[in-house]
Amino acid sequence: MEGEGECSDNPFTSVMTLTKMRVPHVPQRYVLPPSQRPTLALDLTTTLPIVDLSTLHHASQRSLTLDTIQGACKELGFFQVVNHGIPLPVIHDALAAATEFFNLSLEEKMTLLSDNVHNPVRYGTSLNHASDKVHYWRDFIKHYSHPISDWIHLWPSNPPSYKDKMGNYAKAVQVLHKQLMEAILETLGLNFGNLQKEIEEGNQLMAINCYPACPEPDLTLGMPPHSDYGTLTVLLQSGPGLQLLDNKKKWLSVPFVEGALLVQLGDQIEVMSNGQYKSVVHQVTLSAENKRLSIASLHSLPINKKIGPAPELVDEQHPVSYNEFSFRDFLDYISSNDIADKRFIDSIKKSV
């Protein structure tokens, strides 16, 4: 039957296949314990920060914009950006390429199937279909993207326009990421130049996610609560579904703003800031009517670069709160741990 395949002796069924089969209920492996199920009808009155990045280029407005970014990083670890310099046609082309990829036949996508988190390109479902205790209502394709000349030949050859459309977006987001990092480090009082080489030579992993309409969205999630491992994640979404956990442990729904991009602080920024800024815990909820696509550009320092709290942010009142870690340490961690059970960053916090 279409949708069944084998990888490491584990049966594989994509969520797109379940959708095509018109299953009336989610299979039992997707059903979360009651305490972990989402609240879909959340209060939307909370205003989440939106930053107009064009104001960073105006001396009279730059200071106020940096204050907004600093407040967002301290309070939420998240903000949305508009006037970010990536043209709408590039954004629409990337979403179109993602749509075309997920609409390919299963046989075509299965050539990229892998449960090895170290692989530079891999197609899959849930978090890791081979080891997840509970499955999540998501199909994905992930690939390294920077420098793009090192990786693009490994990307999907079908659909034929995929490399061009997704490549143009990946390159544009890499430029945006550098601009965002410069601003965020400035708000911490850190010198961008000290980390510029590592930022420019760092990793960019594109995670292209498909969350099909779900027959019982109150029973499952597209992604469990988690934070990202890197410096920043820049997220493009086709519609609402993302939820953030605020500092009062309350879930907030992120509204959809056409053309806006979402900026999520990752674990490397939390560690670098010695806890002044927090990586944002987020999850993905589902819709009974609508499919949602997202393209997450996950940025991190080079794979073997150890990152610890910046010395400038450590003193007697603010002792070192985290052990050093690298992107490779994170990959090793998720190879043998379930991030739905314990966040990676909790494993590197120093005991008080």
Side-chain angles (χ1 to χ4, degrees):
M1 180 181 73
E2 179 176 334
E4 298 298 332
E6 295 296 325
C7 179
S8 304
D9 299 321
N10 287 288
F12 177 89
T13 305
S14 74
V15 182
M16 285 286 282
T17 296
L18 295 175
T19 303
K20 288 176 182 175
M21 292 165 58
R22 299 184 185 278
V23 292
H25 304 285
V26 296
Q28 189 59 39
R29 66 181 176 277
Y30 292 93
V31 177
L32 291 166
S35 63
Q36 297 175 25
R37 293 174 191 173
T39 302
L40 301 178
L42 291 179
D43 180 9
L44 287 172
T45 59
T46 304
T47 303
L48 296 172
I50 297 182
V51 175
D52 180 347
L53 284 186
S54 68
T55 59
L56 286 175
H57 307 296
H58 299 285
S60 61
Q61 301 174 65
R62 182 177 175 86
S63 178
L64 190 59
T65 301
L66 289 173
D67 286 347
T68 302
I69 291 173
Q70 183 179 51
C73 291
K74 283 185 174 179
E75 292 297 316
L76 279 175
F78 167 91
F79 53 96
Q80 297 195 67
V81 291
V82 295
N83 292 324
H84 41 64
I86 303 180
L88 265 179
V90 173
I91 285 174
H92 291 156
D93 278 354
L95 288 170
T99 299
E100 291 171 23
F101 174 81
F102 289 112
N103 284 341
L104 291 173
S105 70
L106 183 77
E107 290 75 16
E108 182 80 39
K109 290 178 288 193
M110 287 289 283
T111 62
L112 300 168
L113 180 69
S114 174
D115 56 27
N116 183 350
V117 300
H118 294 277
N119 279 7
V121 179
R122 65 188 183 101
Y123 165 69
T125 193
S126 188
L127 295 177
N128 189 328
H129 70 275
S131 57
D132 290 343
K133 295 190 285 288
V134 175
H135 284 237
Y136 297 92
W137 198 262
R138 169 184 85 140
D139 293 341
F140 66 84
I141 173 83
K142 294 184 178 183
H143 45 67
Y144 289 124
S145 306
H146 180 73
I148 198 164
S149 56
D150 286 359
W151 304 109
I152 197 166
H153 67 284
L154 298 172
W155 290 12
S157 298
N158 276 322
S161 64
Y162 184 91
K163 291 179 181 177
D164 184 50
K165 290 179 177 178
M166 198 63 73
N168 285 338
Y169 178 73
K171 287 183 286 187
V173 178
Q174 180 66 23
V175 172
L176 173 61
H177 158 256
K178 181 180 172 183
Q179 180 186 3
L180 291 165
M181 282 296 293
E182 189 168 359
I184 289 169
L185 291 178
E186 186 174 339
T187 66
L188 284 167
L190 299 177
N191 186 343
F192 175 75
N194 293 343
L195 272 174
Q196 183 172 353
K197 186 171 185 288
E198 284 87 353
I199 289 168
E200 291 176 350
E201 296 178 357
N203 283 283
Q204 179 187 21
L205 176 68
M206 303 289 287
I208 296 94
N209 305 301
C210 178
Y211 304 101
C214 177
E216 295 175 296
D218 54 329
L219 297 183
T220 188
L221 285 165
M223 285 279 281
H226 68 286
S227 60
D228 296 332
Y229 58 85
T231 51
L232 301 178
T233 296
V234 179
L235 185 77
L236 166 61
Q237 57 175 357
S238 66
L242 183 69
Q243 293 185 343
L244 312 176
L245 194 64
D246 71 9
N247 53 16
K248 300 182 182 70
K249 304 298 181 186
K250 175 183 165 190
W251 287 107
L252 306 174
S253 285
V254 178
F256 174 69
V257 179
E258 176 70 26
L261 297 172
L262 317 183
V263 180
Q264 299 167 188
L265 269 60
D267 294 344
Q268 287 186 343
I269 289 287
E270 178 169 335
V271 169
M272 195 186 305
S273 73
N274 201 30
Q276 284 191 36
Y277 293 171
K278 300 296 183 185
S279 56
V280 62
V281 175
H282 51 287
Q283 66 181 16
V284 176
T285 60
L286 304 159
S287 165
E289 295 84 30
N290 300 314
K291 176 175 74 174
R292 175 176 175 267
L293 295 170
S294 74
I295 301 175
S297 183
L298 297 107
H299 299 265
S300 65
L301 300 181
I303 191 164
N304 293 315
K305 169 70 177 176
K306 294 280 188 180
I307 186 75
E312 302 94 317
L313 303 178
V314 174
D315 55 31
E316 284 187 19
Q317 287 74 41
H318 306 93
V320 171
S321 299
Y322 304 85
N323 295 311
E324 291 186 336
F325 82 99
S326 67
F327 178 25
R328 187 175 298 281
D329 294 331
F330 170 80
L331 291 175
D332 291 342
Y333 179 87
I334 63 170
S335 296
S336 53
N337 294 273
D338 187 345
I339 63 165
D341 290 339
K342 182 181 179 182
R343 292 175 63 199
F344 168 72
I345 198 164
D346 291 335
S347 72
I348 58 168
K349 286 180 178 173
K350 286 185 174 285
S351 350
V352 179

